[in-house]
Amino acid sequence: MHYYRTHHCGELCKKDIGKRVILSGWIQKIRNLGSLIFIDLRDFFGIIQLIFSKKFIKKIELRKEFVIKISGEVVKRKSINQKIPTGEIEVLVSKLEILNSSIPLPFLIEDQTDGDEENRMKYRYLDIRRNPIKNNLILRHNISLEIRNFLSKKEFLEIETPVLINQTPEGARSFVVPSRIHSGMFYALPQSPQLFKQLLMIGGIDKYFQIAKCFRDEDARSDRQIEFTQIDCEMAFVDVHDILIFFENFIQHLFKKIKNIELESFTYISYSDSMDLYGTDSPDLRFGMKFVKLNDWAQKKGIEFLKKKELTIGINVQKCSHYTCNQIYSIIEGIREPKINPEEIFWIKFFTDKTIISSKELLSHENLIQLIKRFKAKPGDLLFIIFGKKRKTRTKLSKLRIEMAHHLNLKNPQVFKPVWITDLPLLEWDEESKRYKSFHHPFTSPIKEDIHLLNKKNPGYIRSKSYELIINGMEIGGGSIRVHDKKIQDAIFKHLGFSIKNIESEFGFLTKAFEYGAPPHGGIAFGLDRLIAILEGKENIKDFIAFPKNNSGIDTMVNTPYFLKKEKLKELRL
């Protein structure tokens, strides 16, 4: 009945003294004290100390990570260890069996390991033995369970959608899978279940969700993987307000249930305001430094080197006038992408004694005083002002804002500031292809007030019924109210450059479905990996995925991607 164990290593305590037990696990540490040998035995559930007489195991070679089975008696520990739950007891071993040995380890199986990321990815199965990774996977399980419970109680139906589908234009690059049976034809792996969840709404499903695997052939980075998991949701007969209220409550519930954190009501900012105030649609609201626009001031004052610039903006960094010129140059130099040209930025120091100096000698003292007032600066503040083309200038100042927050330790991982970004553009102009592309995807509904602009030649000003949830500068989720009217959908396709033949070929099944009474519907998808990382105050999502890829999209443990053998290529007619 209990061949390998009667108990887990982490469950024994003072009340078990005197019990005969069988335990199995890995050797964490070995301490040889001469007449006695102490071993820390570890399993999934915890650690317990074993005690052997040297005579008992003098002929047995043991090393770290050997898998052993022991029998013995639980006894009171002479030297109590308050750091572990089993610290009051130990097991006096009477029988030992080596279940498996271990070769020397590539890195320490400790909370603070000496393994770098490359080695940890290569030997991921060893990394999972460490408490930080194991606990992250437990957290992921608990969050997934809580998501299912919450949404199920709210009448959402969990439905699986296909993994082998058609490639969808207007999205990111898809991974494709060749078909053996249908020579020369391919499936695509889903970037999201978008079209299928819309079809479920047309099929009469009222609320749908899925914890779905998604795939995008994009460059990986610390907060993005080519293979990722999203919490995918869709609801019928809803508008933007319904979605935002429901899923704000959903996120608040997860934070409270998982971390016992009470989130305040979420901030709402339109996309245009977010770009004007922070230079990004993913603003970090844990700190201030809102942008101050200076175009009208430069025009009014006739500041020659500014008045012809498309945009002049700045930020006030409080209590930083003591920064030296070398420190400031170092910070600006550290911003690599996009790089800030020293000729397009200057700063003003408003010292605590109320004296003012500027790196731009052309500005008069009167103008410097007016700029101080414009920024509502106080003695001790440091102002940065940057100018140039609109989009690039906002992006550069946004990077500088984040860099200053980093230097000032303002990005507290224990503080959470969620914000809904709303009314994102429906379309955006792509200079490379010289055509409009979807800002999100082609199935996003325009806001009612802008629908008439679909008939105009310049649809770039159309706002959409879309929204993104940002927490601490990281996009956690996004979605929209979908188009459910065939005429509107066809008009959007037309602006995207699709011919009638293309529409029929690529999306005919969807536009046909619209003709059978499609309800108003909308939804959202949250990145599960990112959400868990945010909950733990981290930026790298790899540690919350059991078997992640590296930043080159490679799994160094199993060596994927790989080259197919000639026989397989022949079978697939490739």
Side-chain angles (χ1 to χ4, degrees), residues 562-573:
Y562 66 100
F563 291 102
L564 284 177
K565 292 181 179 179
K566 289 181 179 179
E567 297 80 16
K568 189 64 178 177
L569 290 171
K570 186 177 179 181
E571 181 183 344
L572 293 169
R573 301 178 181 87

Side-chain angles (χ1 to χ4, degrees), residues 406-425:
H406 175 72
H407 276 269
L408 296 169
N409 294 317
L410 299 178
K411 301 171 74 173
N412 186 344
Q414 303 306 315
V415 173
F416 301 94
K417 293 290 185 180
V419 53
W420 286 113
I421 304 299
T422 62
D423 301 340
L424 290 92

Side-chain angles (χ1 to χ4, degrees), residues 154-170:
K154 300 294 184 181
E155 300 179 322
F156 279 73
L157 201 60
E158 184 171 13
I159 301 174
E160 293 180 346
T161 53
V163 173
L164 296 174
I165 64 171
N166 281 345
Q167 182 171 344
T168 305
E170 290 298 307

Side-chain angles (χ1 to χ4, degrees), residues 328-373:
I328 293 172
Y329 279 124
S330 177
I331 290 167
I332 294 172
E333 194 67 26
I335 299 170
R336 297 295 179 189
E337 187 57 42
K339 193 164 182 61
I340 298 176
N341 187 326
E343 298 298 316
E344 60 192 12
I345 188 170
F346 65 95
W347 58 89
I348 299 169
K349 296 181 184 182
F350 186 24
F351 290 108
T352 52
D353 64 1
K354 297 188 178 181
T355 58
I356 307 169
I357 65 169
S358 172
S359 63
K360 202 74 172 176
E361 296 178 357
L362 294 174
L363 290 171
S364 67
H365 184 70
E366 180 190 349
N367 284 333
L368 292 177
I369 290 174
Q370 289 182 353
L371 281 171
I372 291 293
K373 290 179 179 178

Side-chain angles (χ1 to χ4, degrees), residues 286-337:
R286 285 175 293 180
F287 47 92
M289 292 187 271
K290 291 181 180 178
F291 292 5
V292 175
K293 191 173 180 182
L294 299 169
N295 284 54
D296 61 335
W297 176 85
Q299 289 289 337
K300 183 179 178 181
K301 291 295 176 183
I303 309 296
E304 288 299 324
F305 72 96
L306 291 179
K307 67 181 184 180
K308 293 183 180 179
K309 303 299 180 184
E310 274 190 17
L311 183 65
T312 301
I313 47 177
I315 55 172
N316 178 11
V317 188
Q318 295 179 354
K319 300 178 181 179
C320 285
S321 64
H322 62 279
Y323 272 48
T324 66
C325 290
N326 285 340
Q327 283 178 303
I328 293 172
Y329 279 124
S330 177
I331 290 167
I332 294 172
E333 194 67 26
I335 299 170
R336 297 295 179 189
E337 187 57 42

